[in-house]
Amino acid sequence: SYPLFGYELTDYEALFEEKLELFAARFRGRTDVFPVRWENRAGRSGYSPACRNEWVPGVCEKPRVRCGQCPVQAFVPVTGETHAAHLEGRLVAGVYPLLADDSCWLCAIDLDGASWRDDVAAVRDAARRLDVPVAIERSRSGDGAHVWIFFTRPIAAEIARAVAAAVITEATAGRPEVGLAAYDRLFPSQDVMPKGGFGNLIALPLQREARGRGCTVFLDDDLEPANDQW
């Protein structure tokens, strides 16, 4: 790990801190809690809120009590160390895009399946026709992509999702006979925060282990990994 504060930084550490600041500025969501990926011995995997009380005997009552309703929540907030650990491969973190006031800093279009490359290209071209800047990231599985839309301030999730929906509509209008078979869902999936929940999560990009497989990386116009990810 890299100490980030409190002493004179080397050039490499200063560059790493600059990257962390850029990463945090783009992939904003809830800061009081974040999801972390787990995998058990049986090969099952998923995400749970990072919590200091997770599986503590006599305290944590999962799965009987859901994390959102747990009376002894001790969620770990998002920090620079969270992002550093994700980028360095010490954990796989996600983000909850929907904020408590039903706004969000970003929206992402999820596309998965055999036609993902053609469909992503159609969505990208549609976004350009609508003057909506997007960033395309190959998903963790490698069998799809996320088309990210970033906002300069938090806006109502209803509006953010409407912007993404307009891009999808424009994409399908240009190829009505084909459609978007790879389209899965939007992040966030909700206009308002569900009671006792967090809204849906999306995995953060550029995770080290997945990057080694050519996944969670940003793609260029040829849908190949961009030379400079930053």
Side-chain angles (χ1 to χ4, degrees), residues 72-202:
V72 290
Q73 296 169 346
F75 295 138
V76 180
V78 179
T79 66
E81 174 59 21
T82 305
H83 294 150
H86 174 82
L87 295 170
E88 293 174 341
R90 290 180 278 127
L91 57 77
V92 180
V95 62
Y96 294 113
L98 189 60
L99 306 181
D101 63 354
D102 302 327
S103 68
C104 56
W105 284 93
L106 58 84
C107 191
I109 303 169
D110 185 28
L111 299 113
D112 292 300
S115 66
W116 74 266
R117 285 183 175 274
D118 290 340
D119 289 355
V120 164
V123 170
R124 176 202 61 206
D125 294 344
R128 287 176 176 172
R129 291 195 295 273
L130 296 176
D131 292 327
V132 177
V134 297
I136 299 170
E137 171 228 352
R138 190 167 186 176
S139 60
R140 182 177 175 82
S141 70
D143 296 324
H146 300 140
V147 179
W148 296 86
I149 302 171
F150 303 107
F151 303 100
T152 56
R153 60 179 175 83
I155 66 171
E158 180 181 10
I159 297 174
R161 285 165 41 79
V163 171
V167 172
I168 294 170
T169 299
E170 175 70 15
T172 54
R175 54 208 301 257
E177 73 289 349
V178 177
L180 288 177
Y183 172 66
D184 185 14
R185 57 185 147 170
L186 297 179
F187 298 95
S189 293
Q190 305 87 6
D191 289 340
V192 297
M193 182 69 70
K195 185 176 180 180
F198 309 98
N200 66 329
L201 67 94
I202 182 170

Side-chain angles (χ1 to χ4, degrees), residues 2 16 38 47 77 137 213:
Y2 300 91
F16 188 62
W38 54 264
Y47 286 82
E137 171 228 352
R213 298 183 281 106

